[in-house]
Amino acid sequence: MNKKIIVSLSENTAEAVRYAAYVCTDDFWVQIQPSGNNALEVIFSSKKDKNINQVEKRFTEELADEKIREKSRMQNIATSEMIIRNAISRFNPSFVHDEQPALSAEQEQELDDLIAEVEKELQDEMNSSRNNDPMHITQTWEEVNRNGK
Amino acid sequence: MENKKKPEKFTLLFQHWKKYKNKILLTNDFGGNVEIPGEEFESICSKDCSLAVSDIPQELLDKGFAAEMIDPEKHSLSWVKRHCNVMMAPVLHIMVMTGRCNMQCVYCQAGSPGKQDKVLDMSLETAKKAVDFAFNTSSPVLNFEFQGGEPLLNWKVLADTVEYIREKEKKSARTVSISLISNFILMDEQKADFLLKNEITLCTSLDGPEYVHSKNRHSENDISYGTVRRWLKYFKERHDNQKGNSYRIFKPGAIVTVTKNSIGHAKEIVDEYVSAGLESIYLRPVSKIGYAGRNWNTIGITPAEYLDFYSEALKHIIELNKKGVTISEQACIIFCSKIFDAGNGGNYDVDSPCGAGTGQIAYNYDGSIYTCDEGRMLAMEGDDIFRIGSVDDPVEKVLTADAVRACKCASELNAQAMCSRCAYMPYCGTCPVFNYATQGSFAGDMANNMRCAVNRGQIDFILELLKEKDNEAILKKWITGSY
Ligand code: SF4
């Protein structure tokens, strides 16, 4: 047995009708076709032993929900897309591993020397600033106490 | 300082909801869920989904339902956490060491080809190429999972491959882990020692007490149950007594496949895990694919049967937790990780889009590469649609193959008619291989999909459980692992 429901397209979008009908396909077969001017005919037939009379209420409720979703979606699509765009921009799109070539022994030595030089400069600077710091205010509590000062 | 004007009205983000018992469950893409009375929902909807600041319930603000309160940084990070597999190179590299198997389980998805035919074994050359392929991808974390068939049937190649991986690991800055899925029938102390010294995580199948396990998992002379229990005990003891070792020994794990033989034994199956000293159980319904599909009349279950089984098991597990027993359930952890906004639960099957070809790939014994293990199993049945290349192909070509892209589109729930409207979408995922094998298309038909019905029921049940504070505390502990 079939159930035909006519839905006006001036009050509903074809999308909303399609989505609302799809949800009912767990229990019913559905066919959607144009019906005259500005309307759709949705024809349900029962799968298994589902009572065909239940379908109208269910479909009507689904259609009402769908209208709310459409409205909400229109209001929020820009926000959702902005968040997803922001999220996707964090990914590295390369799938292939790009291993940095290891440093040669010579380059490694050069790097070690450079680090040692910078460390020495820092140490010198700290020592000289401490000499100008009779109250030890540039030292940490631990340093002051460790030295028994 | 810029004086940002406070909005007078809030626009509510209502995309996913479910009506039940005159209440509305609202969910959003950031994991937030709120239950509000039906009348309140109707009243908000009648006001164009917007509310005056003074009228808006605080919970809706806190959980990300007000468009004007969205924090792009916080919410996009939350999105990244739950969809992190989308644009990554695979983390999970499944290596099928052989298509052969020494058992014939009733629910095998891969066609159970027997243990004789050695052409089904992966050669060392192919295995090394597969490992090289994995190291050539950009993922900073690589998890190699040895599978079969029964991988121990190809032991020499397996052991040499493990050594090859550990060698390569030393020369790279990757975090590498290795796991082995085995029925343990060919396990001996020498192999066990080698596996443990190489820090390999061991996992097996234990379907419950002997009277359930042996009906599902057929082995020569019915030795499977005793063997599994013996080796679980051995590995657990080695784990518990590892002090002084120079290597880490991980807890062994096991999974359950629920068939018609399991129905009515939910509690006993959980108790079996507790008595085996296991601290986690992973319950999954049998899939109607491969040999299992051909056996469906004797082993198949309906979503309703599975959900009854699952809720009884989960309730029992929670009761045990309340008595101080340490045991968690993996499917529940996957959903709860998303509900609590703690990531994707480390699982690629329940993800949107799914992890096929991005979170994971599978290398078959002959060097063919598939989107995932399920896609590879379908190939053992003669359908190569999920094949994405071979170990000889360039990485870029394989990871952008047609089947990978088709899986992404098909499993993106926002693009699914029913899922994009479903209250459970933020926590859910669909499997293109399952859809294709059972419904004929990658996208499937969710209104009539068994996995969808099971997911819906499981999430329903979990959200119901979470209404009790005691339960919530237990499930949160499972996620953080802080027993
Ligand atoms: S698969 Fe089913 S439960 Fe999951 S989001 Fe889609 S419709 Fe909802």
Side-chain angles (χ1 to χ4, degrees), chain B residues 413 418-419 422 424-425 428-430 446 452 455-456:
Chain B
L413 299 186
M418 217 164 103
C419 305
C422 174
Y424 302 144
M425 193 197 95
C428 201
T430 184
M446 290 310 121
C452 164
N455 288 356
R456 243 182 294 159

Side-chain angles (χ1 to χ4, degrees), chain A residues 19 22 66 72 94-95 97, chain B residues 14 136 138 174 421 445:
Chain A
Y19 281 126
Y22 175 63
E66 209 41 53
S72 171
S94 169
F95 293 124
H97 184 53
Chain B
F14 283 172
N136 282 336
S138 61
R174 314 298 184 87
R421 282 136 178 81
D445 165 18

Side-chain angles (χ1 to χ4, degrees), chain A residues 4-5 9 18 20-22 30 39 49 54 62 70 82 89 94 104 114 143:
Chain A
K4 285 185 194 170
I5 301 173
L9 283 178
R18 189 164 64 92
Y22 175 63
V30 183
D49 48 3
Q54 293 169 356
E62 293 292 349
E70 272 187 343
M82 183 260 289
S89 67
S94 169
S104 66
L114 203 64
E143 282 173 319

Side-chain angles (χ1 to χ4, degrees), chain B residues 118-316:
Chain B
K118 287 207 169 189
V119 293
L120 299 179
D121 286 359
M122 187 180 269
S123 68
L124 183 58
E125 189 197 352
T126 303
K128 283 183 172 178
K129 281 185 183 176
V131 173
D132 291 343
F133 186 96
F135 274 91
N136 282 336
T137 65
S138 61
S139 176
V141 178
L142 298 172
N143 176 9
F144 291 93
E145 182 177 292
F146 291 108
Q147 278 221 18
E150 168 49 39
L152 295 187
L153 281 164
N154 195 10
W155 171 250
K156 177 83 178 76
V157 175
L158 193 158
D160 289 347
T161 310
V162 167
E163 281 171 351
Y164 185 65
I165 293 171
R166 291 299 184 206
E167 269 314 303
K168 283 200 79 123
E169 181 191 7
K170 279 184 206 154
K171 292 181 209 134
S172 90
R174 314 298 184 87
T175 305
V176 175
S177 61
I178 309 179
S179 51
L180 170 75
I181 317 285
S182 165
N183 59 34
F184 291 164
I185 286 180
L186 293 175
M187 188 63 77
D188 55 39
E189 292 230 10
Q190 222 179 340
K191 291 187 183 106
D193 222 44
F194 173 87
L195 294 167
L196 296 180
K197 281 186 176 145
N198 277 286
E199 300 195 343
I200 293 176
T201 310
L202 296 145
C203 185
T204 190
S205 287
L206 176 63
D207 282 353
E210 187 163 14
Y211 54 86
V212 178
H213 182 93
S214 299
K215 272 192 199 162
N216 280 347
R217 300 186 58 80
H218 297 167
S219 57
E220 238 170 84
N221 305 323
D222 248 349
I223 56 169
S224 170
Y225 174 80
T227 307
V228 165
R229 285 298 305 250
R230 185 155 41 86
W231 283 107
L232 281 174
K233 184 166 180 273
Y234 174 90
F235 290 123
K236 175 145 191 331
E237 280 171 4
R238 292 284 305 262
H239 166 267
D240 294 346
N241 301 307
Q242 63 178 305
K243 217 169 158 201
N245 281 351
S246 56
Y247 49 89
R248 292 168 302 169
I249 298 182
F250 302 105
K251 286 177 195 164
I255 51 175
V256 183
T257 303
V258 177
T259 67
K260 200 174 267 178
N261 300 324
S262 327
I263 300 301
H265 304 293
K267 283 187 181 170
E268 294 90 323
I269 292 171
V270 172
D271 291 342
E272 180 73 20
Y273 270 62
V274 174
S275 82
L278 294 162
E279 294 180 354
S280 173
I281 183 168
Y282 189 1
L283 300 167
R284 303 160 325 144
V286 56
S287 275
K288 199 178 176 182
I289 302 180
Y291 186 56
R294 295 195 287 282
N295 271 341
W296 201 247
N297 281 344
T298 41
I299 62 164
I301 47 173
T302 62
E305 282 172 323
Y306 180 71
L307 290 169
D308 279 348
F309 172 93
Y310 183 78
S311 46
E312 192 187 340
L314 196 54
K315 263 193 244 163
H316 184 51

